[in-house]
């Protein structure tokens, strides 16, 4: 209906019952954040999507009677950021991406008891002029995130590069459901 616009109406908490008697049930919530810094989702109180997400997740923790220690944030961004690099050098893009990732992780650090970063995956057609993403740039961005993430006490990096290289793409950047199911099982 509105190409290029985010629809966050489907965002919402869902309770996941624990299979272990006596264990606390979990709240699972998914929000798509395509860039390390953008203004797609703003509120009267926030200027960026990342600020909006941290405000929302922080409010959800409070609403559900949970604390910082109860939350695990699983994150990734990078492939969409490369679309912004057309006509710019890799060094320029990496510098901006790194600055944005630092801010992004610092925002989430305040609400996530643990931050788990899933590495950005290789593309199917690196070097194809129809697509702005490259595996060389993705590898540099992954390394930058890894270096920044170690500055956070509860930051964890999950390297999926080798698994992704052996997996089947359905387009240049996305994989079959088997890949995503395998990653979710980690």
């Amino acid at each position: 209906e509105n190409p290029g616009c985010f629809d966050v109406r489907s965002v919402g908490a869902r309770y996941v019952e624990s299979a272990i008697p006596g264990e606390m049930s979990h709240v699972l919530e998914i929000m798509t954040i395509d860039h390390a810094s953008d203004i797609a989702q703003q509120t009267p109180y926030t200027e960026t999507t990342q600020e909006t997400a941290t405000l929302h997740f922080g409010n959800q923790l409070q609403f559900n009677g949970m604390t910082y220690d109860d939350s695990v944030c699983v994150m990734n961004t990078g492939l969409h950021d490369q679309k912004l690099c057309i006509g710019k050098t890799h060094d320029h893009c990496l510098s901006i991406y790194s600055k944005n990732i630092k801010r992004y992780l610092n925002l989430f650090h305040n609400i996530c008891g643990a931050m788990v970063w899933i590495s950005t995956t290789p593309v199917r057609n690196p070097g194809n002029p129809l697509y702005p993403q490259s595996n060389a740039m993705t590898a540099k961005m992954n390394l930058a995130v890894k270096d920044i993430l170690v500055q956070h006490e509860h930051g964890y990096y999950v390297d999926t590069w080798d698994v992704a290289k052996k997996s089947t793409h359905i387009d240049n950047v996305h994989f079959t459901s088997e890949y995503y199911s395998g990653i979710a099982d980690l």
Side-chain angles (χ1 to χ4, degrees):
E1 186 175 318
N2 297 301
C5 294
F6 291 94
D7 180 359
V8 294
R9 290 178 289 188
S10 63
V11 171
R14 164 170 79 109
Y15 292 94
V16 180
E17 295 296 326
S18 174
I20 302 170
E23 281 235 349
M24 185 176 106
S25 296
H26 304 287
V27 177
L28 173 66
E29 187 155 7
I30 298 171
M31 179 180 282
T32 301
I33 301 175
D34 285 339
H35 297 91
S37 181
D38 67 72
I39 57 170
Q41 300 172 34
Q42 298 176 326
T43 74
Y45 311 103
T46 61
E47 295 181 3
T48 68
T49 299
Q50 294 68 26
E51 291 171 2
T52 301
T54 56
L55 175 65
H56 174 75
F57 287 133
N59 287 339
Q60 288 300 306
L61 283 175
Q62 192 173 37
F63 176 78
N64 289 294
M66 301 170 84
T67 69
Y68 166 92
D69 293 326
D70 297 319
S71 68
V72 175
C73 299
V74 180
M75 331 166 85
N76 170 274
T77 187
L79 285 174
H80 292 277
D81 290 271
Q82 289 186 47
K83 290 181 181 180
L84 307 174
C85 292
I86 297 172
K88 297 176 179 76
T89 67
H90 277 199
D91 287 344
H92 176 77
C93 287
L94 190 58
S95 173
I96 290 172
Y97 179 74
S98 295
K99 179 186 80 157
N100 289 339
I101 287 296
K102 283 178 188 174
R103 185 168 185 276
Y104 183 40
L105 292 176
N106 284 338
L107 284 167
F108 276 89
H109 178 79
N110 294 322
I111 62 159
C112 302
M115 293 186 297
V116 179
W117 190 277
I118 306 295
S119 68
T120 302
T121 54
V123 297
R124 178 170 59 186
N125 298 307
N128 185 325
L130 295 176
Y131 304 108
Q133 296 90 358
S134 78
N135 288 342
M137 185 62 179
T138 301
K140 288 179 182 180
M141 292 169 109
N142 280 337
L143 185 58
V145 169
K146 198 173 187 179
D147 289 345
I148 295 165
L149 196 58
V150 298
Q151 299 168 21
H152 295 276
E153 183 180 353
H154 300 290
Y156 305 94
Y157 184 86
V158 179
D159 190 343
T160 60
W161 189 272
D162 291 337
V163 172
K165 293 243 346 146
K166 299 174 196 166
S167 300
T168 305
H169 282 84
I170 58 171
D171 60 23
N172 195 49
V173 298
H174 299 100
F175 294 88
T176 62
S177 60
E178 290 80 16
Y179 168 78
Y180 297 110
S181 295
I183 297 302
D185 288 341
L186 293 174

